[in-house]
Amino acid sequence: HAYCINGGTKEDRQRKISSYCDVWRTHDIDTVRINPAEDPSIGIDDVRTFIHRLSLAPTASAFVVGIIESAHRLTAQAQQALLKTLEEPPPRVKIILETEHAQALFSTVLSRCHTIHLPDQTNADVQTLQQHVKLFEELSRMATGKQLANTDTIGKTRNDAATWIEQSILALGDALHD
C-alpha cells in the first residue's frame, strides 16, 4: 500500500507518480498531497492533517492516493506519526513518498514501503530500456509455455522479477510516447 520513489530527477519521480495514478485511475479529488514547496521541513501537523484526509472515503476513484513530495523533509516527529498509517493504512488507500534522499528517512519508514529506485538516465540506461521493449515484444509472440520458460531467465528472485517488470513498464511507456 506504500511506495517510496527515489532516484532519477524530480521530473522522473513526478512522471512515475503520475503513471501510478493513471494505472489506479485516481481522480484529483481523491489525491491528497503534501508539497512543502519552500518550507525547509514537513512537520507533525502537516502529517496529522494528511492522515486525517486519507481516512476519508474516496469520492470518484477506487483509492485515495496520498503523496508526500520531498519526503526527506519529514521531521523525526512527522515520520513517527506516519509510521502507524504505513503499518496499517486505512482501507482503499495508497501512499507514495517521493524523495531524492531516501537515506534521510527512518529505516522503519522505508521498511514499510515498496522502494522504487529510478536510475539516472544514461545512454546505457536507454539501451537497457530498448532491450526491455525488444524482449517484451519477443515474449508477446511466444506461446504461453515458452513465455513461462523464458521468464526464469529474466529474474531468479521475486525482487529481480519486480525490478524487471518496473523497468519494462517504463520502457514500454517511453516507447508508446515516441
Side-chain angles (χ1 to χ4, degrees):
H1 296 287
Y3 303 84
C4 178
I5 301 174
N6 66 68
T9 64
K10 179 80 168 176
E11 293 77 26
D12 292 337
R13 294 187 301 273
Q14 291 298 327
R15 198 169 22 257
K16 186 68 164 174
I17 290 169
S18 292
S19 72
Y20 275 111
C21 289
D22 288 346
V23 168
W24 296 329
R25 298 178 185 197
T26 306
H27 296 274
D28 287 341
I29 195 167
D30 292 320
T31 302
V32 179
R33 285 185 186 268
I34 295 179
N35 183 350
E38 300 301 317
D39 294 336
S41 65
I42 301 169
I44 192 168
D45 290 335
D46 297 321
V47 169
R48 286 181 178 152
T49 301
F50 177 78
I51 292 168
H52 171 71
R53 291 187 59 207
L54 290 178
S55 69
L56 303 175
T59 304
S61 310
F63 300 100
V64 172
V65 176
I67 301 166
I68 300 178
E69 296 182 28
S70 301
H72 56 275
R73 294 185 187 180
L74 286 162
T75 64
Q77 295 84 4
Q79 289 186 56
Q80 288 290 350
L82 186 60
L83 269 176
K84 176 81 169 150
T85 302
L86 291 174
E87 289 172 357
E88 299 172 19
R92 302 189 322 188
V93 168
K94 304 270 187 192
I95 299 170
I96 300 174
L97 307 179
E98 178 271 323
T99 182
E100 59 185 307
H101 305 290
Q103 68 276 12
L105 298 171
F106 290 167
S107 61
T108 50
V109 169
L110 290 174
S111 71
R112 286 154 179 84
C113 297
H114 176 75
T115 301
I116 300 163
H117 180 77
L118 302 178
D120 295 326
Q121 291 292 320
T122 64
N123 287 338
D125 292 331
V126 171
Q127 289 175 345
T128 300
L129 292 176
Q130 290 170 342
Q131 289 171 344
H132 278 276
V133 171
K134 183 179 177 185
L135 180 57
F136 194 79
E137 288 171 347
E138 290 171 8
L139 284 172
S140 69
R141 289 189 291 269
M142 293 179 188
T144 304
K146 284 197 172 249
Q147 287 174 340
L148 292 173
N150 280 295
T151 57
D152 287 342
T153 62
I154 293 169
K156 299 287 184 203
T157 67
R158 182 179 178 163
N159 285 341
D160 289 345
T163 299
W164 185 85
I165 290 169
E166 287 287 334
Q167 291 175 344
S168 295
I169 290 170
L170 284 172
L172 292 170
D174 288 346
L176 289 173
H177 293 293
D178 289 344

